Amino acid sequence: GFEYRGQGLSTRLLANPEKGHVEDYAVLAADLSKFVESVQQSDLPLNIYAISQGAHITMRMAGDGLADADNYALIVPMAKIFTGEFPYDVARVIGVVLTYTGLGELFAPGRGPWDIADVTFGSATACNANPKKAQLRDALFALDESKRVNGPTARWVHETINSTDQLFASGYAEKI
């Protein structure tokens, strides 16, 4: 298994571990490529299973020609992100402005630290429609604050939109 930088219990990129932050998806794709090359065996097929942002990173690795697998199962791949109350193009501008003015490490507008008061156990969430399992993440967050990643930074928004543009660029998908 591979856990990319800033996720789960891996090293965080910022002092506040709750901030989801990406400096450059090319770096994350290169990290995954090194991992793939370290486990790949010539006599066995290599299958990659990835979810959400991990699937996005996997698509970047494959599309950038860094490493390849025999099969991919990309489950709910993060492609075009949901930007909440901000239209996508407005979120793009906000991400650019905050990043280039040195404020890219701030939580993206509308996001902030995790708060147990915001949790309603037994109800669906934006990321999980199953009301019985939807709060598993929140239960883990409550038990172990080192696992918390609650909201993206402005830089994460900026880099994710840039990387998404690359995924949707003409001819890129054919490389995967």
Side-chain angles (χ1 to χ4, degrees):
F2 177 78
E3 182 175 273
Y4 55 90
R5 301 176 198 212
Q7 191 68 23
L9 296 177
S10 66
T11 302
R12 303 307 171 124
L13 300 175
L14 301 177
N16 181 343
E18 290 192 32
K19 292 181 176 181
H21 189 75
V22 170
E23 292 286 327
D24 188 339
Y25 277 93
V27 171
L28 298 175
D31 288 349
L32 178 58
S33 174
K34 288 176 189 167
F35 174 76
V36 165
E37 291 168 2
S38 75
V39 299
Q40 203 162 29
Q41 298 178 28
S42 59
D43 58 332
L44 295 173
L46 179 68
N47 304 306
I48 295 179
Y49 302 89
I51 299 171
S52 191
Q53 188 173 359
H56 182 103
I57 294 165
T58 301
M59 289 187 291
R60 281 295 307 270
M61 177 198 71
D64 290 354
L66 300 175
D68 200 7
D70 296 288
N71 300 291
Y72 294 96
L74 305 178
I75 303 155
V76 193
M78 182 184 78
K80 189 172 182 180
I81 59 172
F82 176 67
T83 56
E85 64 189 70
F86 300 96
Y88 193 78
D89 288 334
V90 171
R92 176 191 301 273
V93 171
I94 291 171
V96 167
V97 169
L98 291 175
T99 297
Y100 285 105
T101 58
L103 300 173
E105 293 183 7
L106 294 175
F107 275 112
R111 300 307 301 256
W114 182 80
D115 185 354
I116 196 165
D118 295 336
V119 178
T120 304
F121 287 96
S123 64
T125 67
C127 291
N128 191 331
N130 182 331
K132 292 182 181 177
K133 297 181 181 180
Q135 282 75 36
L136 176 60
R137 178 195 82 137
D138 292 313
L140 292 171
F141 280 9
L143 293 171
D144 185 352
E145 66 184 35
S146 68
K147 292 182 175 136
R148 295 178 190 162
V149 178
N150 192 54
T153 61
R155 175 78 181 258
W156 182 95
V157 172
H158 171 64
E159 294 297 331
T160 300
I161 290 174
N162 282 347
S163 188
T164 296
D165 290 346
Q166 188 164 341
L167 291 178
F168 287 105
S170 179
Y172 192 85
E174 289 77 14
K175 297 177 189 177
I176 300 174

